[in-house]
Amino acid sequence: MKIDLNDLAALAAVARAGGFREAARTLNTSPSALSDAVRRLEERLGVRLLNRTTRSVAPTESGAALIVRLGPALSELEAAVDAVKELEGRPAGTLRLNVPISAARLVLPAIVPHFLAAYPAVKLDVVVDDSFVDLLQEGCDAGIRYDESLAQDMIAVPIGPRVQKLATAASPAYLNRRGRPVHPHDLMQHDCLLGRFPSGSMPAWQFEKDGKVVRVEPSGPLTVRIGAAVDLAVDAAIGGVGIVYLFEDWLRPHFASGALEPVLEPWWQPFSGPFLYYPGRRLVPAPLRAFIDFIKAEPQGVTSAAASDQTSAPVRRRSGRDCG
């Protein structure tokens, strides 16, 4: 049975985008052309692959099974074509990254403008997702996560700040009203603004001082989904609702303005920064190779020569950091 690869690519694009219009914009084609491609594929296979309504498009059971198998195969084909282009010295194409909101907020802004200026033929497609995903199944070339979230078979390259801290903070009005904690255990007597991962788990708050690590599980009047609603927790803290626990870099502008005051600062625990990761058992697409080379060469990518010389990094397990 002869199947057009373009029709298979159209099916994968529509499923990934969740609709014909969005997929058409991504591929610079028309929704009707993609609809025709999927219909041809369904006719050749003799099964329905997509359920279509006026509001949504979703794979059928057969379609989902095919798309799962298609993802790695199409990625390999794209990588092979990109490798040929790279031999001509012109990396081009789309680089799809899956990143947590913390990376979108704190890491990529220092990198993306310079990278796109250096590689004008490369387009970046950034998916912000705080869950842990299968990169190939999701149609992404690489992702950004912290070391404890990385599978052992992934290649990991340092990106962004190599040392970060999770900070606690509250508004001066709240602290004047409720008092200022001097030890992490004091948080148990305070209103704390909590975060929940998409999986449903709620990470403990972890602190460290003079080699002593303290973990607490405070309570409070507000819980937000880590990632999508973190700014709500920050706004609530500024409004005097309670104490927030978040990346120091995220809260620093509010420290500078006086809207928030650091809490328990001597106890803020440092941890290693994020990594760009990608599967090791596949061709590296030219846009991804260009991005890897860029973050190794640029000072915002890594902070030490030793780190920039590594093509992979050891994975050290720590408590969850992909929050906010």
Side-chain angles (χ1 to χ4, degrees):
M1 179 185 298
K2 185 177 181 181
I3 299 293
D4 191 326
L5 286 176
N6 291 325
D7 292 350
L8 292 171
L11 171 67
V14 171
R16 183 166 58 241
F20 288 95
R21 290 185 181 276
E22 184 62 32
R25 283 194 289 269
T26 301
L27 298 178
N28 294 319
T29 187
S30 67
S32 60
L34 292 180
S35 180
D36 290 342
V38 173
R39 186 171 59 252
R40 283 195 303 268
L41 190 57
E42 289 177 327
E43 290 174 353
R44 287 189 176 275
L45 296 177
V47 296
R48 177 177 288 276
L49 300 172
L50 296 177
N51 287 320
R52 308 161 176 84
T53 69
T54 56
R55 295 186 177 183
S56 66
V57 174
T60 63
E61 183 178 357
S62 297
L66 177 59
I67 290 164
V68 167
R69 299 291 296 274
L70 277 179
L74 291 175
S75 294
E76 287 294 326
L77 288 173
E78 290 178 4
V81 172
D82 288 340
V84 173
K85 293 178 181 177
E86 190 173 20
L87 290 175
E88 299 179 7
R90 51 184 184 92
T94 298
L95 172 59
R96 299 182 183 90
L97 298 179
N98 185 288
V99 307
I101 192 172
S102 58
R105 173 72 72 94
L106 305 176
V107 175
L108 291 182
I111 297 174
V112 166
H114 303 289
F115 172 73
L116 293 178
Y119 295 95
V122 173
K123 294 183 179 180
L124 270 180
D125 183 353
V126 179
V127 178
V128 178
D129 187 348
D130 281 86
S131 59
F132 307 124
V133 302
D134 184 315
L135 287 176
L136 295 182
Q137 185 173 333
E138 294 297 321
C140 294
D141 301 297
I144 296 177
R145 289 294 185 274
Y146 287 83
D147 51 12
E148 76 283 350
S149 304
L150 302 179
Q152 294 290 351
D153 60 348
M154 292 289 174
I155 295 177
V157 181
I159 184 171
R162 298 320 315 138
V163 178
Q164 293 182 285
K165 292 181 179 180
L166 284 170
T168 35
S171 70
Y174 173 88
L175 295 172
N176 289 336
R177 185 174 74 250
R178 297 289 302 275
R180 287 164 172 77
V182 297
H183 189 279
H185 287 152
D186 295 342
L187 294 173
M188 304 304 292
Q189 307 304 318
H190 280 265
D191 292 332
C192 295
L193 310 176
L194 309 177
R196 179 185 291 113
F197 283 115
S199 65
S201 65
M202 297 179 63
W205 293 13
Q206 187 161 303
F207 302 87
E208 182 177 358
K209 182 180 178 182
D210 298 330
K212 181 181 180 181
V213 175
V214 177
R215 291 167 58 89
V216 297
E217 297 183 1
S219 61
L222 176 65
T223 300
V224 301
R225 176 164 172 165
I226 289 174
V230 167
D231 280 329
L232 174 59
V234 175
D235 290 340
I238 292 172
V241 176
I243 299 175
V244 68
Y245 179 70
L246 192 59
F247 286 91
E248 177 188 10
D249 292 342
W250 198 314
L251 297 175
R252 188 175 292 125
H254 303 299
F255 295 151
S257 71
L260 291 176
E261 179 180 318
V263 173
L264 296 170
E265 186 170 2
W267 284 90
W268 293 353
Q269 185 184 52
F271 58 93
S272 61
F275 293 84
L276 178 78
Y277 74 103
Y278 57 97
R281 298 177 181 176
R282 57 165 297 191
L283 291 172
V284 178
L288 176 56
R289 171 51 59 192
F291 191 70
I292 293 168
D293 292 341
F294 184 83
I295 64 173
K296 286 182 178 181
E298 292 296 307
Q300 69 270 14
V302 293
T303 58
S304 70
S308 63
D309 288 339
Q310 296 174 351
T311 58
S312 62
V315 175
R316 292 169 298 156
R317 302 294 167 183
R318 302 178 67 92
S319 60
R321 300 296 180 194
D322 291 318
C323 54

